[in-house]
Structures are given as structure tokens and as C-alpha cells.
Amino acid sequence: MAALPTQPAAAQESAPPSGAGGAPPPPRRGVLRALGRDPGAVLSAAYILLVVAMAVFAPLIVRMSGWGPYEFDQTAVNPDLGGVPFGGWGGAGGEHWFGVEPGSGRDIFARIVYGARVSMLIALAATALTTLLGVVFGLLAGFFGGKVDWVISRVMDFLMAFPALIFMIAILSALPAGNRAVLLVVVISLFGWPYLARIVRGQTMSLARREFVEAARASGAGRATIVFREILPNLRSTIIVMTTLAVPGYIGTEAGLSFLGVGVVPPTPSWGQMIASSVSWYSVVPTYFAIPGAFLFLLVLSFTVLGDRLRAVLDPQGVR
């Protein structure tokens, strides 16, 4: 089960700032060209785009398959055998492309497609909120220092000291089931932002002492101008890489929480929830476990590989 993405403390504090000395980050075309020459990056990006397309066009795709994610097909399961699907491979065939759920007869393909929408929406929303909080608090702590840095750093230490997954389970178990997707985004972001904030803080402290920032101060630039025009652009590469690497962690976290029964509430489809439901059937209908597991594994792997390749392109000196 994936946990929140973390970085070793030494790497968090001493990671070299991108664009050190005020140098501009690599051009966008150069980054895309370098990634385009990497087969791993191309395959990873293609699979991510496929899942995104599934999530965006879920209603249209499901209409083509002929079965919705909440429709039951009792004719596809054998009631005399406890609901085992008729036929091999979990009932896969022309009518049900990936087979059906044992017992209920719901179409697995339709639930995979709608599960992609749920997983991607929660993971991307949590990543966006985490990035916003991490960048804002990291910039404040690193640029202003003093009491501001002390307060923000203590809050980060406090949140990072918690066993995040255990407290997520406890919090989500105590909260009502309504708007569970929103609650998942908030809870994941609450424990996730300190890791990015610590990296941004360390790099901001380093950049704030560089010559180009001192020159901006000497020219009479205000604090907002220095932060948004001098420091933040030099953090862009780091933020992009950390965001890309955070997405697979949050996808795995959402799946893990749904697997444990505190995530997405049934009957809303979720890949983690489907894996949890398949535990009692995997010896009889292994495809029911293998299909959502494979989709989840490939998505997490694709984001991880793409983030690693992106880091190698944007910060070649930092790759060992």
C-alpha cells in the first residue's frame, strides 16, 4: 500500500535549487524533445493520457460498451455456485469486455472506467492542494525566516511526526460518509504538504542569498516582486518534478484507504475498492483481482517513471 511521498531529511534541506544563480530553467521544447527520445517516458505518458481520456470520456466509453457501472446483469452469474460468472476469464466476452463482478454481475469494464475518474480526480485535486500549501508555506518560511520560519517549521515537524496513514484512517472513520471525495482530498493534503514545503523552504533560503536577489533588493524591488519574479521562477523545475512524483503516492493512498473501507463509499466505483471486494474471490475469479490491480499498478508506475525521467532532464547535475 502506498504511503505519502517522502524525501530523506538531508535531501529536503540541501537539495540544490533549480536554475541556481538565477539561470533560467531548460526551455520547454528542449524538455519535451529530451523526454520524447526516452522510450520509458513516452510509454508512461501514453498510458497516463489513456487513463485521463478514460476519466474524461467515461460516459461515452461506457455507452459504447453497453453497460453502466451500476447496472446488474444477473444472467451473467451462476446463482447455484454463489454468483460465479458464467464462462472463463470471469465472464469476459463480447457483451462484458472485462467480465463481471462475482455475485452482483456488474460490468468490470464500466467500473474500471469510472474508477479511473474517481482515482484521478482525487489524486490530482490532492496534488494541486498539496502543491499550493507546500509552495506558499515553504516560500514564507524560507524568505522571511525568524519567527515565521519557526512557526511554520514546527507545524511541519508536528504533521510529519504523525503516522499519516493511521491518522487518515482514524479521521475518515470518524467523519460522515457524505462528500467522501472532498474529505479524502482534504485529509491527504493535510498530511502531504509539509514534505514539499520543506524542500521549497530549503531552496528559498539558498536563493534568497544569491546575487540576483540582492541586486533586486538594491534596485528597490518589493518583497512580493522578489518572491514572484526572482525566487519562484527558479523553483519551477523542482515544483514540477515533485508534483509529478506526488501523484502516484496519492493514487496509491486513495486506493489503500478505499481498500481499508474508509475511502470512496460504495457503490461509487474505485480501483482500490474493487481490489478490496475481490479478496474473497481471487482464488475463484482471479481476473476480478488482476484487472483493477494491473490498471492501478501501471498508473502508479507510469507517473513514477515519468517523474524520474523529468527530474533527470530538468536537473541533470542532481541525478547520481
Side-chain angles (χ1 to χ4, degrees), residues 15-94:
S18 60
R28 183 181 304 176
R29 291 183 179 178
V31 172
L32 295 177
R33 193 178 301 114
L35 292 176
R37 292 195 296 264
D38 190 316
V42 172
L43 291 174
S44 298
Y47 183 75
I48 292 170
L49 290 176
L50 173 63
V51 175
V52 170
M54 286 170 53
V56 173
F57 300 106
L60 178 61
I61 295 173
V62 166
R63 194 179 308 159
M64 293 170 56
S65 70
W67 290 93
Y70 306 108
E71 294 182 64
F72 298 92
D73 184 9
Q74 294 298 326
T75 63
V77 295
N78 189 345
D80 297 330
L81 296 178
V84 175
F86 287 110
W89 299 97

Side-chain angles (χ1 to χ4, degrees), residues 124-141:
L124 293 178
T127 301
L129 182 56
T130 300
T131 302
L132 176 63
L133 295 174
V135 171
V136 169
F137 286 115
L139 282 172
L140 290 174

Side-chain angles (χ1 to χ4, degrees), residues 208-258:
R209 295 190 293 266
R210 297 297 176 90
E211 292 80 2
F212 66 95
V213 175
E214 294 296 336
R217 284 197 183 99
S219 65
R223 291 177 174 177
T225 301
I226 294 174
V227 169
F228 290 106
R229 292 190 179 181
E230 303 295 338
I231 295 179
L232 189 57
N234 284 278
L235 296 174
R236 183 174 60 186
S237 298
T238 297
I239 294 170
I240 292 174
V241 172
M242 292 302 300
T243 299
T244 307
L245 292 174
V247 174
Y250 296 145
I251 292 173
T253 300
E254 180 276 324
L257 292 172
S258 297

